[in-house]
Amino acid sequence: TIVCKLVFRRLQAKAHVLDDAALDLGLQKQIKRMSLLAIFLFSSDLYLFRLTLLFSGTEFLVRFPTFEALIFLAFFILHLVIVWAFAWEVQDRIMPHTLSRRDYIRSNLSISLPAILPWFIISILADLIPFLPFEAVRVFLLSPQGEILFILGLLTPIAILAPVMIARFWRCKPLSDSPERSIIENVCQKAGLKYKSILQWDLFGGGMITAGVMGLIARFRYILVTPAMVRVLNPKEIEAVILHEIGHVQKRHMLFYLLFFIGFMLVIYFLTDPMILLLYLAWPIFQAAAFIGISKAEFAPVLFSGILILMFILYFRYLFGFFMRNFERQADIHVFSFMDNAIPLITTFHKIAAFSRQSPDKPSWHHFSISERVAFLKRCHFNPRLIDTHHKKIRYFLGIYVMVMILACFCGYAISYGWAKDGFEGFVTQQLIKHELKINPENSDLYVLVGDYYYGLKKHKKAIEAYENVLRIDPENVHALNNLSWLLSTCPDTELIDPSRALDLAQRAVKIEPLPHILDTHAQACFLNRDFQCAMDMAMAALEKATDKQSYYRDQLDRFKRAYDATLN
């Protein structure tokens, strides 16, 4: 609150030396900066100050974690409300008495909150999966493949029906009968666009000159227009704006937006687990955190959240923003399909700049500036081939996007759930163990992990070396004694077989902890040394103590008995 107050009051103090365009540009920059600060403070509250523990143990929230997430989301939105509350003071200097502070905050909320609607529906339904009465369905939906189908299966109906819910949330109402409504209806009829209704959109009090369209299918498609648009624009300009919105529909931009959203969700879904594993290899970062007194366990969630936020910003700010800007340009040039020139759209852009008191050169992450849009329309008027060139450019980059997303999802699936999972996890484990051994070379437990890792990879020589290192540091480490004995008794590489060493290790392990699997190792070592009576005794003891794998221990006993009987014959 203090930072926002100082920043926006300082900007407000400069109002007398800045024109409206410069003041608006400064306002938007500070809103972005304060929003990023809100994200940082919110993450710090969650992980550094352990607010995530606030509701731990609450049975309802444990069963339905979506509601816990909503509580924390509301807490984050409170941060943004503080930003908007102080930003309004500057906004009111630019366009005085057009919108109260409450309406300004409410308008920002109404624009932002529908974005969480898909997440909320999918998340709350996912919370209900464990309570399904059909076990086969429940098990499938909790599997990786089931989760993917669950999410994709819900996104389609949500995307289709969302315009109905959003229109009600925004309190849109049908545009009253008027000459302007007739113009819009005639343009849609001429362009062949079907829709559900034409709605009045009171965005920021209805004082913005803008329009919109939402809906993937005609039955749930709405055309939105603000009161300022129908009041300020002349008939030709209204027609040009609606043709722009029709361009979004006929070029399937909303379908592509859904594709981008799904692409981001799939990439995050497939790459989350690998990213978490790789984070633990970021030793310099954790060492820096430890230097200022933050443990690895405390800092890891903060770092992971920061990476997710960064990925979100990069994906939507740059990749999604690139396509949005070019889709807007594609919608702009759609007017050439129905009008002889783009002059009405150009004059509309000039009115938007003048009415909003913004510079026509003002940059935007999702739109080219008004000056750039006007210049491109003029170039297309004198060189119509630029229109086809732009369409081809979009198709080209969409193809690249699809191929990259398919490759990313394929690699992510292979690493997280498929054929590369074991190899990737083994690589990360190996690097972690090597790093820890450099720090603490006398840690016998780490050498045990190294031995098990190499044993799993069937690198027997390295496994033996690791287990020997364990016993050098900790001669009574049962795990190492048992595994090394088994390896020296059963290794496929016969050069590594060592009967006497294997028996000695097994005897030492049994004295310390005579568990079934250790007795079985002792039996194997006795068998290798042709002491069949000892092998049978140890195998019988293992079978008697075993609570599982009894068929295995019985087979071992039968094998040793057959070998003993063969010596008698």
Side-chain angles (χ1 to χ4, degrees):
T1 300
I2 296 174
V3 174
C4 287
K5 184 176 182 179
L6 290 174
V7 166
F8 289 111
R9 292 281 170 86
R10 186 178 300 169
L11 181 62
Q12 190 177 7
K14 298 179 181 179
H16 67 282
V17 296
L18 297 174
D19 58 26
D20 288 341
L23 187 60
D24 179 73
L25 183 61
L27 174 63
Q28 300 308 319
K29 285 184 177 179
Q30 293 302 340
I31 289 176
K32 290 178 183 177
R33 290 174 181 172
M34 293 300 100
S35 298
L36 290 174
L37 178 61
I39 293 173
F40 173 77
L41 292 176
F42 176 68
S43 300
S44 300
D45 291 337
L46 285 184
Y47 299 111
L48 295 183
F49 298 104
R50 301 295 186 89
L51 285 188
T52 52
L53 301 178
L54 191 61
F55 303 104
S56 61
T58 306
E59 184 176 353
F60 176 79
L61 296 180
V62 170
R63 289 174 174 267
F64 300 97
T66 298
F67 290 100
E68 183 179 17
L70 277 178
I71 294 173
F72 289 116
L73 183 61
F75 182 56
F76 171 66
I77 291 174
L78 178 61
H79 287 66
L80 296 181
V81 167
I82 294 171
V83 175
W84 297 329
F86 286 101
W88 172 84
E89 297 178 1
V90 182
Q91 179 68 35
D92 195 52
R93 291 292 297 268
I94 300 172
M95 300 184 70
H97 313 304
T98 58
L99 208 61
S100 68
R101 189 193 304 264
R102 177 182 296 179
D103 289 337
Y104 179 73
I105 294 172
R106 185 181 297 164
S107 295
N108 277 293
L109 285 172
S110 68
I111 292 295
S112 305
L113 290 181
I116 71 171
L117 179 63
W119 163 80
F120 176 75
I121 294 175
I122 292 173
S123 185
I124 194 64
L125 290 177
D127 290 346
L128 296 174
I129 290 177
F131 302 99
L132 289 175
F134 310 105
E135 183 177 0
V137 176
R138 186 171 65 249
V139 171
F140 173 73
L141 290 177
L142 292 175
S143 69
Q145 297 83 356
E147 288 180 348
I148 295 170
L149 291 177
F150 174 78
I151 293 172
L152 295 182
L154 283 175
L155 276 178
T156 301
I158 289 173
I160 291 173
L161 297 175
V164 179
M165 293 179 278
I166 293 173
R168 290 181 179 177
F169 183 80
W170 285 345
R171 299 179 181 178
C172 296
K173 55 187 178 182
L175 185 66
S176 59
D177 290 334
S178 61
E180 291 79 15
R181 182 183 177 98
S182 298
I183 293 170
I184 297 171
E185 292 173 340
N186 291 335
V187 172
C188 292
Q189 185 177 7
K190 180 173 67 174
L193 180 74
K194 296 181 179 181
Y195 56 91
K196 174 70 174 178
S197 182
I198 302 172
L199 303 178
Q200 179 175 310
W201 188 20
D202 294 322
L203 176 67
F204 289 99
M208 297 179 64
I209 301 176
T210 189
V213 61
M214 57 181 182
L216 292 174
I217 62 176
R219 188 173 181 180
F220 302 105
R221 181 178 297 136
Y222 298 94
I223 297 173
L224 309 175
V225 294
T226 61
M229 179 195 132
V230 298
R231 185 176 68 249
V232 174
L233 302 187
N234 64 42
K236 277 293 183 182
E237 291 168 341
I238 293 175
E239 183 177 351
V241 170
I242 299 304
L243 285 173
H244 169 94
E245 300 303 331
I246 291 173
H248 283 305
V249 177
Q250 295 183 340
K251 294 300 180 182
R252 300 181 178 85
H253 293 163
M254 284 172 284
L255 192 61
F256 290 126
Y257 291 149
L258 179 61
L259 173 66
F260 297 141
F261 183 72
I262 291 173
F264 181 77
M265 290 184 65
L266 288 177
V267 168
I268 293 298
Y269 179 83
F270 286 130
L271 294 181
T272 294
D273 288 345
M275 282 193 301
I276 291 175
L277 287 176
L278 287 174
L279 275 182
Y280 286 96
L281 301 184
W283 302 301
I285 298 177
F286 288 114
Q287 288 171 348
F291 181 76
I292 59 176
I294 304 175
S295 69
K296 191 173 185 178
E298 293 174 329
F299 189 65
V302 178
L303 181 60
F304 179 66
S305 298
I307 291 176
L308 283 182
I309 292 170
L310 180 62
M311 289 180 63
F312 180 88
I313 293 173
L314 292 176
Y315 183 90
F316 286 99
R317 169 64 178 84
Y318 294 102
L319 189 147
F320 188 68
F322 168 81
F323 282 104
M324 282 195 75
R325 291 192 299 273
N326 283 281
F327 284 168
E328 289 297 327
R329 178 167 282 180
Q330 193 174 37
D332 287 347
I333 58 180
H334 195 66
V335 300
F336 288 107
S337 300
F338 300 94
M339 303 179 79
D340 295 333
N341 57 66
I343 292 175
L345 188 57
I346 291 173
T347 57
T348 297
F349 287 145
H350 289 313
K351 285 184 178 180
I352 290 173
F355 193 79
S356 63
R357 302 184 184 181
Q358 295 178 356
S359 169
D361 299 320
K362 177 184 175 181
S364 172
W365 71 273
H366 56 87
H367 287 78
F368 288 106
S369 70
I370 287 177
S371 297
E372 290 174 313
R373 294 171 75 174
V374 168
F376 186 73
L377 286 170
K378 290 180 178 179
R379 292 200 302 272
C380 289
H381 177 78
F382 293 107
N383 184 8
R385 287 182 298 178
L386 291 176
I387 297 174
D388 288 335
T389 300
H390 187 69
H391 294 326
K392 290 178 181 177
K393 171 187 174 181
I394 290 177
R395 289 195 295 270
Y396 173 77
F397 282 105
L398 281 172
I400 292 177
Y401 170 83
V402 170
M403 288 189 292
V404 170
M405 285 296 106
I406 290 174
L407 180 62
C409 290
F410 172 78
C411 294
Y413 181 85
I415 292 173
S416 298
Y417 307 105
W419 56 269
K421 177 180 172 65
D422 292 339
F424 177 77
E425 291 180 350
F427 167 77
V428 174
T429 302
Q430 182 186 28
Q431 298 306 311
L432 286 172
I433 293 172
K434 285 182 177 179
H435 176 71
E436 294 297 330
L437 283 175
K438 289 180 181 178
I439 299 174
N440 187 7
E442 298 301 314
N443 190 333
S444 61
D445 291 335
L446 291 174
Y447 285 108
V448 171
L449 293 176
V450 173
D452 292 347
Y453 171 71
Y454 283 128
Y455 199 166
L457 294 178
K458 298 182 179 180
K459 295 183 178 180
H460 302 116
K461 284 186 177 180
K462 290 188 175 182
I464 291 172
E465 291 175 4
Y467 290 135
E468 294 288 8
N469 282 332
V470 176
L471 299 177
R472 176 180 58 81
I473 301 169
D474 181 9
E476 296 187 351
N477 190 296
V478 176
H479 186 91
L481 288 169
N482 182 73
N483 283 19
L484 183 54
S485 174
W486 184 264
L487 182 55
L488 296 177
S489 299
T490 63
C491 184
D493 187 352
T494 56
E495 293 182 358
L496 299 178
I497 296 291
D498 188 342
S500 60
R501 175 74 168 146
L503 182 59
D504 175 61
L505 294 168
Q507 289 171 341
R508 289 161 58 187
V510 166
K511 287 180 181 179
I512 299 171
E513 201 167 4
L515 297 174
H517 70 283
I518 296 176
L519 290 165
D520 179 57
T521 300
H522 190 186
Q524 181 64 38
C526 291
F527 176 75
L528 183 64
N529 284 274
R530 303 190 63 80
D531 187 347
F532 302 120
Q533 186 61 55
C534 175
M536 290 188 294
D537 292 342
M538 292 298 105
M540 178 60 73
L543 178 61
E544 290 174 349
K545 286 194 172 188
T547 57
D548 59 354
K549 297 183 179 180
Q550 291 182 335
S551 60
Y552 164 79
Y553 293 119
R554 191 174 292 108
D555 290 341
Q556 285 286 80
L557 179 59
D558 291 342
R559 183 165 67 93
F560 300 145
K561 283 182 177 180
R562 289 195 299 271
Y564 178 70
D565 292 341
T567 60
L568 296 178
N569 296 331

